Amino acid sequence: MRITTVVSSRLFLSIVIVVLLFFIAVLLTRSDEAVCPPPPAAAAEQSPPEPAAEVTPSPAPSAPAPSGGRPPEPDTSSWDNHTLAVVVPFRDRFEEMLIFVPYMHRFLNFQKVKHRIYIVNQIDAYRFNRASLINVGYLRAREHCDYMAMHDVDLLPLNRNLSYRFPGERLFHVASPEYHPRYHYPKFVGGILIVTMEHFQKVNGMSNNYWGWGLEDDEFYTRIRGAKLEIERPTNLTTGVKDTFRHIHDRRVRKRDMEKCFNQAAVTHKRDRITGVHSVDYKILKANKLTIDGAEVEVLNVRLECDHERTPWCDCSGQAAEQEAAARRAEDSGKAVDAAKPAGKSGDSVKPAPSAKAHPKTSAGRAAAAQSAAQT
């Protein structure tokens, strides 16, 4: 009987030990799984994460939008009495305009600067003329604004200390060569230049001789110095050439028109004492008031005129004159149809359409003259 009791006790202890070891093993297994969980089966099949999309930094916090979705306009009653015209010479930059307009609207609101934005859109067939478009923008904005920023559409200010406020007796070059991402020579006044309407009129605006890319700002610098006006530039910024501005121009997509034809190179390296804002030849075909992400902008569709005798390089190919003549004939034909309709609102007066014959100083004109001489 005693032997049986001893055996039963040992058997019971063995069973208890086995059960305890089993539970300890189960607990250890679960602990390992909690510390190092196995990856999900589909993890190996997943592609690497996409890089984060670039986000344009907002220069100022936006106010909450009302139920209509459009942010409320700020209360400008305590702002400065001056009104800035942001004049943007423009052609074929739609994507950049969609970025520029709301960005600058927020930036200027942050600085409490009253402003109007004018996109001066060249729609004729001639080469791009930035200076003439700025002259047109000045003539359009001077009734509503007392100073303006001559502003490239592809240059966005990132540093909030870049002032767009009224410059007083000096011109203020926002895109100073010390901070501009590309141009660093001392006489550079391009990119973004703030000037009062009074000073722009005093120097007769900008030269109309500059068709194609470059040098119109350098000529304007000589006008500024000739009028004994001073240029002020930003100082003591904590940013540099890489982070003061964002330059959104893609040279691979939009190549600059740097062609030089006829005597363009010789003429455009000299001071222009003849043309300016008083002599710019243009017509505004349409003025559209748009709203882009809550920012109002006026887009002016402008047709520039070219004096082929004085600046034949407005049309190096010789094809623009014919295209412009065809456009004017179509416009005149449309107005003739309107005139035949019952009397209503009268339209703008139209200049007589020039001849469709290619100008003799262009390559197309010379070819046509040679062909005519061969036939005779």
Side-chain angles (χ1 to χ4, degrees), residues 52-108:
E54 181 182 358
V55 178
T56 303
S58 176
S62 300
S67 57
R70 178 177 174 178
E73 288 299 316
D75 179 11
T76 61
S77 57
S78 62
W79 293 14
D80 196 89
N81 291 327
H82 300 287
T83 302
L84 170 69
V86 182
V87 175
V88 184
F90 184 85
R91 175 185 264 175
D92 299 334
R93 300 287 190 90
F94 182 74
E95 298 86 353
E96 294 174 9
M97 181 182 71
L98 293 181
I99 298 172
F100 177 88
V101 171
Y103 185 93
M104 288 307 304
H105 180 65
R106 293 194 303 267
F107 191 96
L108 295 172

Side-chain angles (χ1 to χ4, degrees), residues 169-242:
E169 295 302 315
R170 299 181 178 183
L171 287 73
F172 188 72
H173 187 209
V174 180
S176 172
E178 289 84 0
Y179 302 104
H180 193 279
R182 293 199 57 181
Y183 305 112
H184 312 296
Y185 58 94
K187 296 182 179 181
F188 174 66
V189 291
I192 311 169
L193 180 66
I194 296 180
V195 55
T196 67
M197 298 303 194
E198 180 183 355
H199 288 158
F200 194 80
Q201 179 66 34
K202 182 177 182 179
V203 300
N204 191 22
M206 302 188 75
S207 169
N208 298 308
N209 288 345
Y210 292 85
W211 302 89
W213 182 84
L215 297 180
E216 77 284 343
D217 290 320
D218 295 343
E219 202 279 340
F220 190 63
Y221 178 84
T222 64
R223 296 185 178 214
I224 295 170
R225 303 307 295 171
K228 301 187 183 306
L229 296 174
E230 296 185 10
I231 302 172
E232 187 177 357
R233 287 174 165 141
T235 56
N236 300 324
L237 298 181
T238 58
T239 52
V241 295
K242 294 183 178 180

Side-chain angles (χ1 to χ4, degrees), residues 274-305:
I274 299 174
T275 76
V277 69
H278 73 277
S279 62
V280 59
D281 196 357
Y282 72 100
K283 182 177 181 181
I284 297 177
L285 300 184
K286 183 72 173 178
N288 299 290
K289 291 187 177 180
L290 310 177
T291 301
I292 304 174
D293 291 345
E296 294 182 354
V297 58
E298 185 171 12
V299 180
L300 308 174
N301 287 344
V302 175
R303 174 187 288 162
L304 298 178
E305 303 287 350

Side-chain angles (χ1 to χ4, degrees), residues 326-338:
R328 284 166 175 76
R329 285 198 302 273
E331 182 182 344
D332 289 345
S333 175
K335 288 190 176 293
V337 172
D338 292 339

Side-chain angles (χ1 to χ4, degrees), residues 7-49:
V7 171
S8 299
S9 300
R10 289 181 178 179
L11 180 61
F12 176 77
L13 287 174
S14 299
I15 292 172
V16 170
I17 292 171
V18 170
V19 170
L20 288 174
L21 290 175
F22 174 78
F23 279 109
I24 291 173
V26 170
L27 290 174
L28 289 175
T29 302
R30 291 184 177 179
S31 176
D32 290 340
E33 290 177 354
V35 175
C36 302
E45 300 176 1
Q46 294 176 353
S47 58

